[in-house]
């Protein structure tokens, strides 16, 4: 772990990453790709220690409220967050200035900040995004070894439902010949339905591989999935898109489920997470006058 002074924190789309690198150890992680220029080794976490100060400076100057996003490239609740509390400090600022939040994680450490998530949702809007890829717990331990399993993430989703905090599930990626099965899909969709998620992000069945993450994935294959690297080489070569041979069947089943249960899919989820509630953009005086 090393610390830096960042020059900026919010992107043009109001997204932020407080850390770079990750310690969750997910074998498919696209963020390991060399094109992102993350720390090497990837587990040497870069901490943007002045992120709260930069965030407060930006939010204080913003003329209109909006949704602030975090977790797209780097999980805000990796292991060092428990000690550093950088994410919590930023959530406190978002809550204080009454902005909205769309936060994505695999970790149940998010439950530590449930008080802030509730308050942000009351004042504005808070959407919690949880990644679910692997229903079988033993398999999940191999694919996502250093973070809580899917069952625990489902329990987090259920708690968010109890607190009235809307949720979106990222059901991606899938590793062909490993977790691209109907049984896996049925299990995760069952969790989503029971937890009352608003939508699911699922851009096909498969995984993307670039230089950096491909090599790491194959190292993990050699350890836990003998022969799988050779199968991938034979079938996909060095393709960026590694699609499941079951994609057509699984996508049809997925779309039918979402339609039947009134759940948003893909772009509709992003539209929902970008939308700040119009009535909460108005001042108290405007609300009293019925504007």
């Amino acid at each position: 772990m090393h610390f830096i002074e960042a020059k900026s924190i919010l992107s043009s789309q109001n997204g932020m990453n407080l850390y770079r690198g990750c310690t969750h150890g997910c074998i498919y992680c696209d963020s390991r790709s060399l094109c992102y220029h993350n720390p090497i080794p990837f587990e040497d976490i870069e901490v943007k220690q002045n992120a709260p100060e930069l965030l407060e400076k930006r939010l204080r100057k913003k003329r209109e409220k909006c949704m602030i996003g975090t977790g797209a490239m780097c999980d805000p609740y990796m292991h060092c967050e428990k000690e550093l509390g950088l994410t919590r400090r930023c959530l406190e600022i978002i809550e204080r200035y009454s902005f909205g939040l769309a936060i994505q994680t695999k970790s149940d450490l998010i439950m530590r900040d449930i008080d802030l998530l509730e308050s942000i949702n009351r004042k504005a809007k808070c959407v919690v995004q949880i990644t679910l890829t692997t229903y079988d717990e033993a398999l999940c331990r191999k694919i996502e070894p250093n973070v809580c399993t899917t069952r625990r993430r489902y329990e987090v989703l259920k708690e968010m439902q109890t607190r009235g905090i809307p949720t979106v599930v990222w059901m991606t990626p899938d590793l062909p010949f490993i977790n691209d099965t109907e049984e896996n899909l049925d299990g995760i969709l069952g969790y989503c339905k029971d937890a009352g998620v608003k939508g699911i992000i699922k851009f096909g069945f498969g995984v993307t591989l670039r230089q950096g993450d491909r090599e790491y994935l194959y190292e993990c294959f050699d350890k836990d999935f003998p022969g799988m690297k050779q199968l991938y080489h034979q079938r996909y070569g060095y393709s960026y898109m590694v699609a499941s041979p079951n994609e057509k069947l699984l996508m049809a089943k997925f779309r039918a489920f979402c339609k039947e249960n009134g759940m948003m899919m893909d772009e509709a989820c992003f539209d929902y997470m970008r939308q700040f509630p119009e009535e909460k953009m108005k001042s108290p005086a405007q609300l009293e006058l019925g504007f």
Side-chain angles (χ1 to χ4, degrees):
M1 184 168 59
H2 61 281
F3 297 81
I4 67 163
E5 292 285 319
K7 295 181 179 179
S8 61
I9 196 61
L10 279 187
S11 71
S12 60
Q13 299 298 313
N14 298 308
M16 63 180 182
N17 285 297
L18 309 178
Y19 302 101
R20 294 180 69 192
C22 191
T23 51
H24 287 340
C26 303
I27 70 174
Y28 52 70
C29 182
D30 176 69
S31 293
R32 287 183 182 273
S33 300
L34 298 184
C35 64
Y36 297 125
H37 306 291
N38 275 308
I40 298 176
F42 191 58
E43 292 75 15
D44 178 20
I45 306 304
E46 183 177 279
V47 181
K48 300 177 183 179
Q49 60 184 353
N50 61 331
E53 292 77 17
L54 292 174
L55 178 63
E56 183 160 19
K57 185 177 181 180
R58 283 291 306 274
L59 296 192
R60 191 188 301 127
K61 292 181 178 180
K62 276 190 173 288
R63 298 182 64 182
E64 291 188 355
K65 305 296 184 187
C66 64
M67 299 293 289
I68 306 297
T70 189
M73 284 295 296
C74 180
D75 198 308
Y77 288 105
M78 69 181 79
H79 300 87
C80 63
E81 169 61 21
K82 189 172 184 179
E83 172 189 349
L84 298 176
L86 199 62
T87 296
R88 183 169 179 88
R89 289 168 60 197
C90 288
L91 296 191
E92 289 171 343
I93 294 165
I94 291 169
E95 189 272 342
R96 186 184 317 140
Y97 286 89
S98 299
F99 279 75
L101 173 70
I103 186 166
Q104 180 182 352
T105 186
K106 288 188 181 85
S107 174
D108 58 352
L109 182 57
I110 193 173
M111 292 303 300
R112 180 200 64 185
D113 297 335
I114 191 70
D115 59 327
L116 287 170
L117 303 179
E118 281 191 287
S119 184
I120 291 170
N121 198 45
R122 283 194 303 269
K123 288 185 173 184
K125 177 181 173 182
C126 177
V127 183
V128 171
Q129 306 159 71
I130 300 287
T131 300
L132 306 179
T133 68
T134 311
Y135 182 71
D136 180 271
E137 294 287 278
L139 183 58
C140 183
R141 286 291 184 199
K142 292 181 179 180
I143 294 176
E144 299 159 345
N146 302 328
V147 69
C148 65
T149 62
T150 300
R151 174 73 190 185
R152 176 57 181 152
R153 288 177 235 167
Y154 154 72
E155 292 169 354
V156 170
L157 288 168
K158 285 288 289 181
E159 184 61 27
M160 297 297 165
Q161 180 187 37
T162 299
R163 306 286 186 115
I165 298 170
T167 55
V168 167
V169 161
W170 287 73
M171 196 183 298
T172 183
D174 308 276
L175 293 170
F177 311 107
I178 295 177
N179 64 341
D180 59 333
T181 65
E182 287 191 76
E183 292 79 9
N184 189 64
L185 177 61
D186 289 342
I188 295 176
L189 291 179
Y191 279 160
C192 291
K193 182 176 181 178
D194 192 53
V197 306
K198 291 192 72 70
I200 305 173
I201 295 170
K202 184 67 185 164
F203 293 117
F205 282 79
V207 66
T208 58
L209 295 179
R210 294 186 178 97
Q211 185 180 6
D213 68 315
R214 178 186 288 107
E215 289 78 6
Y216 185 79
L217 176 66
Y218 286 173
E219 286 179 15
C220 295
F221 279 174
D222 285 341
K223 175 184 174 184
D224 290 317
F225 302 95
M228 193 61 67
K229 178 176 70 176
Q230 291 74 18
L231 177 58
Y232 272 48
H233 267 310
Q234 292 169 6
R235 187 175 182 97
Y236 302 109
Y238 286 88
S239 298
Y240 168 64
M241 294 297 301
V242 177
S244 166
N246 302 321
E247 181 167 25
K248 186 174 181 180
L249 168 67
L250 296 176
M251 278 304 297
K253 191 167 190 176
F254 167 71
R255 292 192 182 104
F257 172 88
C258 290
K259 184 176 181 180
E260 180 182 342
N261 290 279
M263 290 182 185
M264 296 180 293
M265 292 182 287
D266 301 338
E267 289 298 339
C269 296
F270 291 110
D271 290 342
Y272 171 73
M273 290 188 287
R274 283 191 290 260
Q275 292 168 358
F276 190 89
E278 290 187 11
E279 69 275 8
K280 294 183 180 180
M281 295 178 70
K282 300 174 182 178
S283 69
Q286 287 175 314
L287 290 172
E288 288 178 8
L289 291 171
F291 290 174

